[in-house]
């Protein structure tokens, strides 16, 4: 027997497919699949909403409080003020099935959220920053708008279904891609919802005060505080950027012929 | 509000993409250079017999023998890991891992052969390859810090071939 020296050959154990082609195929394919899944989930939530009347929701969640989000401070006079203002605004939506309640969450970030059963949670960061009743009224009106459009249930339903679907993927790169795609897909829907809630909020504010002065002041201040760095990803931001939002609100006011000037009502705290 | 969102978006999308691009560029550069290095050393060792015979061919007269081994520990880059993670959902050839393991096999064999030649042997017979997985730092078995590829065999010094 003779030993014939020979070098190992390339290309036997390694696929010819370029790594980037493999990556591109997988990422594009899964992105498409995830977009479809998210659209199906959105559709399922819309379908489910047909079976839950606002009245049933208001009844079931009448006294519900998410304990970990709410920091009730009985001494905070602002709670009573915000609550009273909410009730005044809600009077301009006579068909509302909700008995609105307000709670304060101790968080530095200015925010307000709508929860099932007519619960509105505002953060201390928001209360620290508003400087007139009119500013606060628009933020509360916006949240009431979410209730009227049932967005709070949409967000809850989508979040639950999404978490459930993504948990099937474990914590690998599939879940990471899925979350990113879901986030980007849902932004389109949520922008529309935010604009609709703004419109209803502004309607309530105008009905209450007879003008819409100061409605955008809060956003102007937030825009100043957080600087101009939100410009980059404006097109995908959850809320329209404060500037866009201010423009849209002003434009809406002009269309309806609502006065932008009027005496601001000072806060009682 | 928006500043936070921009930052969030950067952390959630921008940072992983930047890391992916970085990992791909550096990873493929290292891979190309390693393959070039492997081919060069393989051609230098061209005439050195490395076989999987368990027994000596009859006409070989062996004056001495000894164990030789070569091993390498390789790790995945982030790009390969992410793409393989997607691949794992649908199954199929994990194409991004193949070149990595090919490098490991050939490098381990080269180190073993180089060891044998340095020690003055003429051939290596009964060559075996073994792989073991290294636990990651967390030690939870969910992922791996890398694999070790070990090549070993019996090096022989011949009087006459």
């Amino acid at each position: 027997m003779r030993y014939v020296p020979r070098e190992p050959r390339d290309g036997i154990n390694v696929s010819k497919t370029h790594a980037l082609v493999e990556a591109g195929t997988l990422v594009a394919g899964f992105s498409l699949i995830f977009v479809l899944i998210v659209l199906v989930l959105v559709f399922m939530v819309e379908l489910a909403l047909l079976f839950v009347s606002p009245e049933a929701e208001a009844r079931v969640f009448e006294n519900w409080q998410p304990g970990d989000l709410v920091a009730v401070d009985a001494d905070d006079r602002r709670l009573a003020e915000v609550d009273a203002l909410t009730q005044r605004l809600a009077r301009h939506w006579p068909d509302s099935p909700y008995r609105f309640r307000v709670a304060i969450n101790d968080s530095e970030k200015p925010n307000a959220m709508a929860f099932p059963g007519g619960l509105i949670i505002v953060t201390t960061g928001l209360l620290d920053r508003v400087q007139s009743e009119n500013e606060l009224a628009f933020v509360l009106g916006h949240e009431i708008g979410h209730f009227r459009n049932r967005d709070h249930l949409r967000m809850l339903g989508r979040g639950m279904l999404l978490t459930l679907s993504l948990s099937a993927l474990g914590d690998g790169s599939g879940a990471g891609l899925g979350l990113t795609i879901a986030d980007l897909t849902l932004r389109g829907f949520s922008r529309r919802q935010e604009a609709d809630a703004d419109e209803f909020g502004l309607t309530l504010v105008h009905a209450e005060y007879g003008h819409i002065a100061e409605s955008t002041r809060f956003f102007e201040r937030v825009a100043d505080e957080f600087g101009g760095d939100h410009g980059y990803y404006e097109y995908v931001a959850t809320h329209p950027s404060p500037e866009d939002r201010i423009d849209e609100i002003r434009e809406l006011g002009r269309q309806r012929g609502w006065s932008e000037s009027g005496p601001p009502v000072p806060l009682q705290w | 509000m928006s500043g936070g969102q921009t930052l969030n978006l950067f952390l959630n999308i921008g940072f992983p993409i930047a890391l992916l691009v970085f990992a791909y560029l550096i990873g493929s550069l290292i891979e190309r250079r390693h393959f070039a290095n492997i081919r060069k050393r393989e051609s230098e060792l061209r005439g050195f017999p490395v076989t999987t015979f368990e027994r000596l061919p009859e006409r070989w007269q062996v004056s001495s023998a000894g164990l030789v081994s070569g091993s390498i520990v390789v790790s995945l880059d982030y790009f390969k890991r992410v793409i393989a993670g997607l691949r794992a959902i649908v199954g199929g050839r994990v194409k991004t891992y193949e070149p990595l393991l090919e490098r490991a096999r050939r490098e381990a064999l080269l180190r073993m052969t180089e060891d044998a030649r340095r020690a003055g042997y003429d051939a290596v017979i009964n060559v075996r390859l073994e792989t073991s997985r290294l636990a990651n730092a967390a030690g939870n078995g969910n992922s791996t810090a890398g694999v070790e590829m070990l090549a070993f065999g019996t090096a022989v010094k011949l009087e006459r071939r």
Side-chain angles (χ1 to χ4, degrees):
Chain A
M1 190 183 64
R2 217 165 58 82
Y3 180 81
V4 183
R6 209 179 39 137
E7 284 169 45
R9 282 152 299 170
D10 286 332
I12 296 166
N13 300 316
V14 178
S15 298
K16 299 266 186 301
T17 319
H18 194 280
L20 286 181
V21 174
E22 165 85 348
T25 312
L26 285 170
V27 170
F30 274 110
S31 298
L32 193 66
I33 291 170
F34 287 142
V35 167
L36 289 176
I37 290 177
V38 170
L39 291 179
V40 169
L41 294 186
V42 167
F43 179 73
M44 282 167 64
V45 170
E46 295 301 317
L47 211 60
L49 281 181
L50 296 179
F51 293 94
V52 185
S53 70
E55 290 75 20
E57 177 218 327
R59 212 167 41 244
V60 171
F61 289 98
E62 197 177 18
N63 294 309
W64 176 74
Q65 292 260 25
D68 53 338
L69 257 180
V70 181
V72 185
D73 182 358
D75 292 336
D76 201 333
R77 282 200 55 217
R78 301 186 292 189
L79 183 62
E81 292 289 334
V82 178
D83 192 67
L85 181 56
T86 305
Q87 308 308 335
R88 270 161 54 206
L89 289 168
R91 277 210 311 267
H92 302 292
W93 177 24
D95 302 336
S96 159
Y98 299 104
R99 192 173 56 79
F100 287 105
R101 293 170 295 141
V102 175
I104 297 176
N105 180 35
D106 195 4
S107 162
E108 248 313 290
K109 289 178 191 158
N111 211 349
M113 294 149 282
F115 287 89
L119 175 65
I120 295 174
I121 296 185
V122 292
T123 62
T124 46
L126 174 85
L127 298 182
D128 292 343
R129 282 176 179 83
V130 287
Q131 286 178 5
S132 76
E133 195 184 280
N134 307 58
E135 291 176 21
L136 182 59
F138 179 70
V139 173
L140 293 171
H142 172 93
E143 296 308 316
I144 296 176
H146 278 315
F147 284 107
R148 206 209 46 165
N149 302 329
R150 313 200 73 194
D151 298 328
H152 61 303
L153 294 183
R154 278 193 185 91
M155 303 311 276
L156 208 66
R158 286 174 195 167
M160 271 159 48
L161 288 181
L162 207 61
T163 309
L164 218 66
S165 319
L166 286 177
S167 68
L169 293 172
D171 55 1
S173 39
L177 181 67
L179 198 64
T180 308
I181 295 293
D183 196 30
L184 291 173
T185 311
L186 288 177
R187 273 162 205 268
F189 291 100
S190 83
R191 279 192 67 125
R192 184 72 249 147
Q193 291 169 12
E194 296 303 318
D196 287 348
D198 271 354
E199 186 176 344
F200 191 72
L202 204 63
T203 312
L204 294 184
V205 167
H206 181 258
E208 174 66 21
Y209 298 103
H211 61 80
I212 56 165
E214 301 255 319
S215 286
T216 57
R217 272 288 305 282
F218 172 69
F219 302 109
E220 285 161 19
R221 209 170 310 116
V222 167
D224 286 345
E225 182 178 345
F226 289 92
D229 64 1
H230 44 258
Y232 287 111
Y233 295 108
E234 212 173 85
Y235 60 103
V236 281
T238 314
H239 285 80
S241 75
E243 283 91 347
D244 280 359
R245 211 169 166 189
I246 292 162
D247 289 346
E248 279 172 28
I249 293 166
R250 292 228 167 106
E251 178 57 31
L252 185 69
R254 267 194 294 278
Q255 279 172 15
R256 302 279 170 94
W258 290 338
S259 165
E260 272 187 66
S261 58
V265 181
L267 288 161
Q268 299 303 311
W269 61 70
Chain B
M1 243 177 200
S2 234
Q5 279 163 11
T6 306
L7 187 66
N8 268 344
L9 207 67
F10 173 72
L11 290 177
N12 291 338
I13 302 175
F15 185 67
I17 287 179
L19 196 58
L20 269 182
V21 171
F22 174 77
Y24 171 74
L25 291 177
I26 301 292
S28 57
L29 177 71
I30 291 174
E31 188 164 284
R32 260 201 312 279
R33 290 174 59 162
H34 192 199
F35 267 124
N37 176 270
I38 285 174
R39 285 190 201 102
K40 180 168 153 277
R41 284 152 67 206
E42 277 171 353
S43 75
E44 282 166 16
L45 288 169
R46 203 174 127 90
F48 197 95
V50 175
T51 75
T52 53
F53 297 152
E54 289 185 23
R55 286 157 210 261
L56 283 169
E58 266 175 29
R59 287 169 54 209
W60 287 21
Q61 303 278 312
V62 171
S63 62
S64 70
L67 176 75
V68 283
S69 70
S71 93
I72 177 182
V73 176
V74 287
S75 174
L76 298 166
D77 61 54
Y78 180 69
F79 174 81
K80 287 187 194 307
R81 202 194 317 266
V82 166
I83 299 309
L86 290 178
R87 171 54 75 189
I89 299 174
V90 285
R93 289 179 75 166
V94 187
K95 292 171 188 164
T96 52
Y97 283 8
E98 288 172 348
L100 188 79
L101 291 172
E102 172 84 347
R103 276 160 64 194
R105 271 189 301 272
R106 286 162 75 170
E107 178 69 35
L109 282 170
L110 274 173
R111 289 182 181 181
M112 180 198 74
T113 314
E114 283 163 355
D115 179 26
R117 196 170 67 168
R118 249 197 317 275
Y121 291 109
D122 299 312
V124 185
I125 63 167
N126 201 8
V127 170
R128 298 290 180 262
L129 285 168
E130 277 191 12
T131 312
S132 54
R133 197 176 84 161
L134 300 180
N136 63 355
N140 52 17
N142 286 341
S143 62
T144 168
V147 290
E148 186 206 25
M149 186 71 73
L150 169 69
F152 60 95
T154 308
V156 290
K157 190 161 178 55
L158 303 177
E159 284 178 344
R160 192 167 66 82
R161 224 192 290 185

